[in-house]
């Protein structure tokens, strides 16, 4: 193949080509309304051995390793952007979907696979476990640019961020039951609670330690803080998995803790992690596309079985799991229907499908091909129609108000200076005030105001309006004082009867 013929230089060239291909695919995915993961995987299949033959790749172990590494980065980035105030209101239903929902989905699809395919009961349940969870990478990327109501978006993001541990546990458990006839499912129950408990506790511990370290350690360059955050993400997964906990759960919880605390160089950390997660996502899906052989994937047998299971998953198993998991949890019929439709499958099922292949189980290649086909159809059918479904069910939220601009700061070495970005609202006490009237410390200055996508040069008489994006340069030690002033709310006026 190309790499074998030209060596290391070819590997560098191919990596550049893959990244460029991924960026182009992401651009067209947003234009066509398709999830980017579909185009990423198609790129992998095209340049693979059954396509142009540029790269021959069939090492499930390497794909699994890279997939786990990428999922850690994607979960970490998703957790950083998740607001606890929003998630807290949907914590119970999200956890119900992430546990009961995954078990119900896995059981229904597993039973169907056992009845329809030439698989044993345990092999059928293994397939069900692999596709039982929604995918964080797919859900985060699809919902990011959609104007879905906050409650729906928070529920789906929290579910996808926390249901991977259940799918991983079920998958590894059924592999153990198939490989070791002496194993009992009852012996695995204590392991589940141990994994989830350690994941939760260590996630909180590492999240607090990371945020404390980022704020207290003075590094020589601001560019090192985002790298420090990535190091903590990998450390959280590694140590938690090493001691027998759920590394994925720990990473998501740690990111949730970090993202909801005040951080030094917050903007740089978030932007770096978002870009790094995009790179990991592009390469992961392309590598997973390389791993599949289209002549096997699109054989009549795989397509027939895959379509039946996909339709059962989309229209039967997922809705049944959602409606049963959300009983008496204050969700309307339309909201449950939308959550059912938005249960995207993505990288996690494909990565989990490599585990039976690596372990050499019977029918492992069949399982992998069917899972890959299910992911493709789920992403294509559900992912491309989420906005349409939200509109039909009247679950479209207000347009996401984000500034189409950025302010980059040159590294200031060891000088503890930060740029705060803050958007005002109607409830902000600073709205209506002139800049000279604000109670800011002398070492804090509003350097720019973005209003209606126009830059306003601020001066003392400039009046702050609702919806303004304020960019404030402040020494780190005065950051809390400035934040407190910005977050003051308007005090309701007392009526005559109350005075």
């Amino acid at each position: 193949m190309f790499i074998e013929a030209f060596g290391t230089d070819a590997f560098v060239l191919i990596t550049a080509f893959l990244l460029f291909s991924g960026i182009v695919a992401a651009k067209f995915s947003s234009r066509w309304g398709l999830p980017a993961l579909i185009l990423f995987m198609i790129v992998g299949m095209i340049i693979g051995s059954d396509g142009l033959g540029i790269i021959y790749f069939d090492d499930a172990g390497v794909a699994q390793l890279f997939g786990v590494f990428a999922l850690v980065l994607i979960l970490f980035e998703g957790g950083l952007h998740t607001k606890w105030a929003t998630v807290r209101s949907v914590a119970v239903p999200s956890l119900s979907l992430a546990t009961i929902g995954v078990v119900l989905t896995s059981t229904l699809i597993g039973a169907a696979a056992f009845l329809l395919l030439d698989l044993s009961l345990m092999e059928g349940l293994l397939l069900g476990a692999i596709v039982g969870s929604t995918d964080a990478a797919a859900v985060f990327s699809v919902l990011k640019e959609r104007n879905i109501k906050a409650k729906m978006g928070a529920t789906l993001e929290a579910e996808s961020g926390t249901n991977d541990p259940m799918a991983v546990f079920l998958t590894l458990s059924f592999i153990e039951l198939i490989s070791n006839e002496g194993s009992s499912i009852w012996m695995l129950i204590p392991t589940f609670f141990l994994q989830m408990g350690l994941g939760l506790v260590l996630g909180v511990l590492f999240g607090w330690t990371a945020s404390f370290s980022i704020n207290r350690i003075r590094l020589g360059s601001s560019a090192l803080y985002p790298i420090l955050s990535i190091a903590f993400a990998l450390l959280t997964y590694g140590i938690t998995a090493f001691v027998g906990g759920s590394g994925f759960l720990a990473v998501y919880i740690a990111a949730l803790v970090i993202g909801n605390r005040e951080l030094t160089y917050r903007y740089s950390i978030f932007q770096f992690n978002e870009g790094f997660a995009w790179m990991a996502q592009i390469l992961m899906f392309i590598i997973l596309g390389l791993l599949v052989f289209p002549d096997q994937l699109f054989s009549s047998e795989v397509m027939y079985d895959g379509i039946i299971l996909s339709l059962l998953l989309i229209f039967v198993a997922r809705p049944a799991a959602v409606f049963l998991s959300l009983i008496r949890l204050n969700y309307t019929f339309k909201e449950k229907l939308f959550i059912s439709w938005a249960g995207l499958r993505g990288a996690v099922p494909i990565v989990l499908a490599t585990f039976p292949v690596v372990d050499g189980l019977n029918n492992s290649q069949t399982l992998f091909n069917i899972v890959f086909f299910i992911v493709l159809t789920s992403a294509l059918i559900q992912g491309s129609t989420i906005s349409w479904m939200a509109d039909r069910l009247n679950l479209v939220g207000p347009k996401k108000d984000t500034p189409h601009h950025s302010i980059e700061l040159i590294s200031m070495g060891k000088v503890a200076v930060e740029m705060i970005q803050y958007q005002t609202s109607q409830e902000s006490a600073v709205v209506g005030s002139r800049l000279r009237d604000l109670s800011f410390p002398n070492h804090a200055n509003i350097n720019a105001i973005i209003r209606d996508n126009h830059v306003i040069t601020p001066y003392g008489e400039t009046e702050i309006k609702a919806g303004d994006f304020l960019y404030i340069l402040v020494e780190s030690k005065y950051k809390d004082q400035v934040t407190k002033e910005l977050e003051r709310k308007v005090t309701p006026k007392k009526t005559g009867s109350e005075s």
Side-chain angles (χ1 to χ4, degrees):
M1 294 302 169
F2 184 76
I3 292 180
E4 294 176 351
F6 295 96
T8 304
D9 294 340
F11 179 81
V12 175
L13 180 60
I14 288 295
T15 302
F17 171 76
L18 294 181
L19 290 175
F20 274 116
S21 301
I23 292 170
V24 172
K27 176 66 175 179
F28 280 100
S29 72
S30 60
R31 178 176 299 178
W32 296 339
L34 292 173
L37 65 93
I38 293 180
L39 299 182
F40 296 159
M41 289 190 291
I42 290 176
V43 168
M45 288 188 283
I46 289 175
I47 65 177
S49 57
D50 277 354
L52 299 177
I54 297 175
I55 301 176
Y56 180 86
F57 181 78
D58 63 353
D59 194 329
V62 173
Q64 181 187 116
L65 176 63
F66 194 91
V68 170
F69 185 87
L71 287 174
V72 169
L73 300 179
I74 294 166
L75 276 173
F76 187 71
E77 191 270 337
L80 286 178
H81 287 86
T82 302
K83 300 297 182 184
W84 172 244
T86 305
V87 172
R88 181 171 51 193
S89 61
V90 297
V92 173
S94 297
L95 289 175
S96 179
L97 288 168
T99 52
I100 298 173
V102 172
V103 172
L104 290 174
T105 303
S106 301
T107 302
L108 290 173
I109 294 299
F114 168 64
L115 295 174
L116 296 173
L117 310 181
D118 186 21
L119 299 175
S120 66
L121 177 60
M122 283 298 174
E123 289 173 338
L125 291 174
L126 173 59
L127 190 151
I130 291 172
V131 299
S133 71
T134 60
D135 182 66
V139 172
F140 290 157
S141 63
V142 168
L143 294 182
K144 188 168 290 185
E145 302 300 330
R146 267 63 169 192
N147 298 325
I148 309 298
K149 280 190 175 181
K151 179 182 179 182
M152 297 295 94
T155 302
L156 291 167
E157 289 185 2
E159 177 202 4
S160 63
T162 55
N163 68 3
D164 292 344
M166 174 62 79
V168 172
F169 170 77
L170 291 175
T171 299
L172 295 180
S173 296
F174 283 117
I175 290 176
E176 173 66 20
L177 292 172
I178 294 172
S179 304
N180 188 353
E181 296 181 356
S183 299
S184 169
I185 194 168
W186 303 110
M187 298 170 58
L188 301 173
I189 294 177
T191 304
F192 169 76
F193 288 102
L194 176 64
Q195 288 185 6
M196 300 304 123
L198 285 174
L200 178 61
V201 173
L202 291 178
V204 173
L205 178 62
F206 277 109
W208 184 88
T209 303
S211 55
F212 178 84
S213 302
I214 290 170
N215 287 331
R216 292 301 181 93
I217 296 176
R218 298 298 174 212
L219 300 176
S221 171
S222 60
L224 294 174
Y225 288 91
I227 299 175
L228 180 62
S229 69
I230 290 291
F232 268 110
L234 299 175
L235 183 69
T236 300
Y237 177 87
I239 291 182
T240 305
F242 182 77
V243 299
S246 173
F248 289 129
L249 179 61
V251 167
Y252 184 74
I253 296 297
L256 191 62
V257 172
I258 296 170
N260 285 273
R261 294 174 64 89
E262 288 294 331
L263 286 180
T264 300
Y265 299 108
R266 182 185 189 87
Y267 181 78
S268 298
I269 291 172
F270 277 48
Q271 289 296 101
F272 178 86
N273 277 278
E274 185 175 4
F276 206 34
W278 263 109
M279 184 178 70
Q281 185 175 237
I282 290 171
L283 294 178
M284 173 181 65
F285 281 118
I286 290 177
I287 288 174
L288 293 176
L290 286 171
L291 189 62
V292 71
F293 289 80
D295 62 338
Q296 298 177 15
L297 179 67
F298 297 110
S299 65
S300 58
E301 183 178 359
V302 171
M303 290 181 64
Y304 177 77
D305 295 336
I307 288 174
I308 292 178
L309 290 176
S310 295
L311 294 177
L312 287 174
L313 175 62
I314 295 171
F315 295 105
V316 179
R318 171 67 177 178
V322 169
F323 277 79
L324 290 173
S325 299
L326 297 181
I327 290 177
R328 297 182 180 179
L329 288 179
N330 196 29
Y331 282 77
T332 66
F333 175 82
K334 289 184 176 180
E335 289 173 338
K336 293 177 183 177
L337 194 61
F338 178 75
I339 293 172
S340 301
W341 189 255
L344 300 178
R345 269 58 189 174
V348 172
I350 300 176
V351 172
L352 290 180
T354 63
F355 282 77
V357 177
V358 173
D359 287 356
L361 297 187
N362 293 331
N363 297 315
S364 59
Q365 192 60 48
T366 299
L367 292 175
F368 179 85
N369 289 330
I370 291 176
V371 168
F372 198 100
F373 193 88
I374 290 174
V375 169
L376 277 180
T377 52
S378 170
L380 182 62
I381 296 173
Q382 296 170 280
S384 60
T385 56
I386 281 183
S387 295
W388 177 83
M389 182 65 74
D391 185 62
R392 293 296 298 269
L393 297 175
N394 196 26
L395 294 174
V396 177
K399 184 178 180 180
K400 294 184 178 180
D401 193 6
T402 54
H404 300 285
H405 49 79
S406 63
I407 294 180
E408 297 292 341
L409 291 180
I410 298 174
S411 174
M412 298 180 185
K414 297 184 179 180
V415 179
V417 180
E418 301 181 43
M419 182 70 80
I420 299 174
Q421 174 187 287
Y422 182 83
Q423 184 184 19
T424 60
S425 64
Q426 292 288 355
E427 295 76 26
S428 301
V430 296
V431 171
S433 302
R434 301 186 187 279
L435 297 190
R436 59 181 172 79
D437 298 326
L438 297 178
S439 300
F440 280 2
N442 293 329
H443 300 277
N445 295 298
I446 297 180
N447 291 76
I449 298 176
I450 308 298
R451 181 179 299 160
D452 298 327
N453 286 327
H454 295 289
V455 179
I456 296 175
T457 302
Y459 62 99
E461 296 299 320
T462 302
E463 181 180 335
I464 298 175
K465 297 184 179 181
D468 285 351
F469 286 92
L470 309 179
Y471 286 86
I472 307 157
L473 189 66
V474 58
E475 289 188 28
S476 297
K477 61 183 177 181
Y478 297 111
K479 183 178 179 180
D480 290 342
Q481 183 179 342
V482 172
T483 303
K484 185 177 180 181
E485 173 68 11
L486 292 171
E487 293 180 347
R488 282 194 303 113
K489 301 299 181 183
V490 176
T491 304
K493 293 182 179 180
K494 294 183 179 180
T495 61
S497 59
E498 293 174 323
S499 57

